[in-house]
Amino acid sequence: MRTTTITITLLLFCFSLAGFCQLNIEGRVIDAADKKPLIFANVFISNTTKGQQTDDKGRFKLINVPSGTIDLVISYVGYQTFSLQLKADTLRKPLLIMLNADAIELQGVTIKRLKDGFRKYYHIFEEGFMGKTNFSKECKLKNSEALTFSMNNDDSELIIRAEEPLKIENKALGYVVKYQLEEFRYNFKERYISFWGYPFFEEMKTRSDRRRKQWIENRNKAYYGSSQHFLKALTEQKLSEEGYVMHTLIRQNKMLFSVPLVAEKRDSTGNIVTEASKEKMMVDSADLKLRINQSLKKLATNGFARYIQYLVRTPLKESEIVSSHKDVFNIEFTNHLYVIYNKEFEEPQFADGGQKNIPQTSILSLLESPAIVEKNGHLINPLAIVFEGRWGYEKMGELLPLDYLPDLP
């Protein structure tokens, strides 16, 4: 498989940005080889509505950009996507970004391109990328032909990339999302999905006041109870006020061994009174160990799960997992985090055993410690936390701009 290698040099011009009353980012994007401007390169701030294409001289200027840590993204056909994490208020000079695209065959990379990948595996991508919620059903990918499907050398992972930004219409929220997909992976054995990229939002146009009102209502619904809303409430120590309860979740792999269905019995002298039955049953020693702890409550898992789960009955306080460091917050916890949102019921398709009117629940696992969060709920290192449950189901269907603020119709 051929890919694109990119060399990026980031320089600063020798003159200052004009004006300090608002946060702006400006600069130029040029080809490193011939120093010619790259026209119509996409320049945007990931997860926002702030973006534009470069002009005929490769110039761009983003005005009124969000404060705090942002990802500035530059994409151009034939070049690898470039992203730079920065704070706009620390910039005093425009950026000169030089891109050098050189397609070469990577040595040692064993990825097999699939000719019929779309037919076989698009359903995996659609469910894993768009999500499974009611809002996800309102999302439509307009350029699915941009997707490429590959398999790693031992056929254990499906790898999907895009040759151009994906264009997704979310009719429930009223956005067109241009998503610069870097990679989507599906592990067949673990049934584990991961993907990463950079979304850019554009408002859909409508003359209908009714539709506009519905978009506002849906956006509010998508925001409240979302992971961003939770993280913001967590840093503000307002979990209870905002409808959240969190517990420590202990998850351990099952440790099964077989024992006779009827145990052997002996008398006081050690003689066998009743022989052990030949029929066997499986016993989980990990389950037995946790069961005797009265502070724990067992959670149901499906029969195929390789682990057991117990919930610590006493809820966690915000101060037990979050601490302030300068202008950001560090989140650290042991085991897993079980989060209940009591202000919204779960959609029926996600309720176990057909239960009705149950609160939404999510599970957080920490892959990188600490997870760093800004006070607006922005997770600076998004790969630090894995979301399961409700937040694991929410993908493009509930995706909102980072700078979104709930509004009234």
Side-chain angles (χ1 to χ4, degrees):
M1 178 181 177
R2 297 183 68 84
T3 187
T4 301
T5 297
I6 189 167
T7 301
I8 302 174
T9 305
L10 184 62
L11 302 175
L12 296 177
F13 284 133
C14 299
F15 49 89
S16 300
L17 281 171
F20 295 94
C21 60
Q22 60 188 14
L23 297 179
N24 300 335
I25 299 176
E26 63 179 290
R28 294 181 66 215
V29 181
I30 65 175
D31 187 286
D34 57 18
K35 303 300 185 292
K36 292 182 179 180
L38 293 179
I39 305 171
F40 302 132
N42 296 307
V43 182
F44 62 95
I45 298 172
S46 181
N47 263 304
T48 72
T49 57
K50 299 292 184 180
Q52 62 180 215
Q53 290 185 323
T54 55
D55 62 16
D56 59 352
K57 294 183 179 180
R59 297 174 303 191
F60 67 89
K61 182 175 183 179
L62 306 180
I63 63 174
N64 289 330
V65 303
S67 60
T69 304
I70 59 174
D71 288 310
L72 178 67
V73 182
I74 296 92
S75 68
Y76 196 77
V77 176
Y79 295 81
Q80 193 177 60
T81 305
F82 166 64
S83 68
L84 175 66
Q85 196 168 84
L86 54 83
K87 291 186 176 181
D89 55 4
T90 65
L91 293 177
R92 293 295 179 267
K93 299 176 182 179
L95 303 172
L96 177 62
I97 302 173
M98 299 197 297
L99 306 183
N100 182 15
D102 182 20
I104 62 172
E105 190 73 27
L106 292 181
Q107 301 299 319
V109 177
T110 51
I111 298 177
K112 300 171 289 186
R113 187 78 167 260
L114 303 175
K115 293 182 179 180
D116 57 349
F118 185 92
R119 179 181 62 83
K120 285 185 175 181
Y121 301 118
Y122 179 71
H123 68 283
I124 294 177
F125 176 80
E126 185 176 38
E127 185 175 284
F129 183 74
M130 295 296 188
K132 304 179 182 179
T133 65
N134 291 336
F135 285 170
S136 298
K137 298 174 184 177
E138 299 295 315
C139 292
K140 184 175 180 60
L141 178 60
K142 304 297 289 185
N143 58 337
S144 58
E145 69 279 358
L147 297 172
T148 64
F149 294 76
S150 305
M151 201 76 71
N152 68 345
N153 193 44
D154 62 1
D155 294 338
S156 64
E157 279 194 328
L158 173 68
I159 302 167
I160 303 175
R161 296 190 176 102
E163 296 178 336
E164 64 184 36
L166 299 179
K167 184 177 180 181
I168 302 108
E169 287 186 354
N170 187 335
K171 295 182 179 180
L173 302 185
Y175 289 114
V176 174
V177 183
K178 293 181 180 178
Y179 195 96
Q180 188 70 39
L181 178 68
E182 297 302 299
E183 191 171 77
F184 176 102
R185 285 180 176 260
Y186 176 74
N187 187 292
F188 289 96
K189 182 179 180 180
E190 302 294 334
R191 296 185 179 183
Y192 177 78
I193 290 175
S194 65
F195 65 86
W196 67 285
Y198 306 99
F200 173 65
F201 293 81
E202 294 179 348
E203 294 266 2
M204 295 179 70
K205 307 297 183 183
T206 182
R207 295 181 179 179
S208 170
D209 291 337
R210 181 179 179 183
R211 178 172 293 181
R212 189 178 297 106
K213 181 180 178 180
Q214 187 63 58
W215 284 344
I216 293 174
E217 292 177 355
N218 288 349
R219 290 173 185 177
N220 288 348
K221 184 177 181 181
Y223 175 78
Y224 289 110
S226 67
S227 59
Q228 181 179 347
H229 178 230
F230 164 75
L231 292 173
K232 186 175 186 294
L234 178 63
T235 60
E236 293 177 346
Q237 299 196 20
K238 293 182 178 180
L239 286 185
S240 179
E241 179 181 334
E242 295 296 327
Y244 292 100
V245 179
M246 59 181 181
H247 297 261
T248 294
L249 175 70
I250 299 174
R251 177 181 287 173
Q252 291 190 4
N253 290 330
K254 292 179 179 179
M255 299 181 65
L256 300 175
F257 61 95
S258 62
V259 298
L261 190 62
V262 177
E264 177 185 271
K265 293 183 179 180
R266 294 176 179 265
D267 60 21
S268 59
T269 61
N271 295 318
I272 297 176
V273 176
T274 304
E275 291 187 354
S277 64
K278 294 182 180 180
E279 293 82 12
K280 305 285 185 179
M281 66 177 179
M282 301 303 295
V283 175
D284 181 3
S285 61
D287 192 19
L288 292 175
K289 181 180 177 181
L290 293 174
R291 192 183 302 172
I292 62 175
N293 190 334
Q294 297 299 310
S295 68
L296 303 180
K297 173 187 176 182
K298 187 175 183 180
L299 293 183
T301 57
N302 64 59
F304 299 101
R306 293 177 294 178
Y307 53 79
I308 55 171
Q309 298 185 138
Y310 278 82
L311 207 63
V312 177
R313 295 179 186 272
T314 304
L316 283 168
K317 298 178 181 178
E318 293 95 331
S319 58
E320 294 180 77
I321 69 167
V322 65
S323 58
S324 175
H325 290 267
K326 295 183 179 179
D327 57 346
V328 297
F329 298 84
N330 288 354
I331 295 177
E332 299 179 270
F333 54 87
T334 57
N335 296 299
H336 306 269
L337 205 60
Y338 188 86
V339 180
I340 303 169
Y341 182 59
N342 289 306
K343 291 189 176 182
E344 190 171 347
F345 293 136
E346 189 54 273
E347 294 177 13
Q349 65 267 33
F350 305 131
D352 294 332
Q355 300 180 68
K356 295 182 178 180
N357 298 336
I358 61 172
Q360 295 179 356
T361 58
S362 302
I363 297 173
L364 282 65
S365 301
L366 199 59
L367 296 184
E368 178 184 329
S369 185
I372 304 173
V373 179
E374 295 184 303
K375 57 186 177 182
N376 63 354
H378 175 214
L379 183 60
I380 294 178
N381 49 345
L383 297 180
I385 297 179
V386 173
F387 298 100
E388 302 175 52
R390 175 66 193 189
W391 293 334
Y393 303 137
E394 293 180 354
K395 300 290 189 343
M396 298 304 299
E398 275 73 17
L399 192 63
L400 290 166
L402 181 63
D403 51 357
Y404 174 78
L405 294 174
D407 197 3
L408 296 176

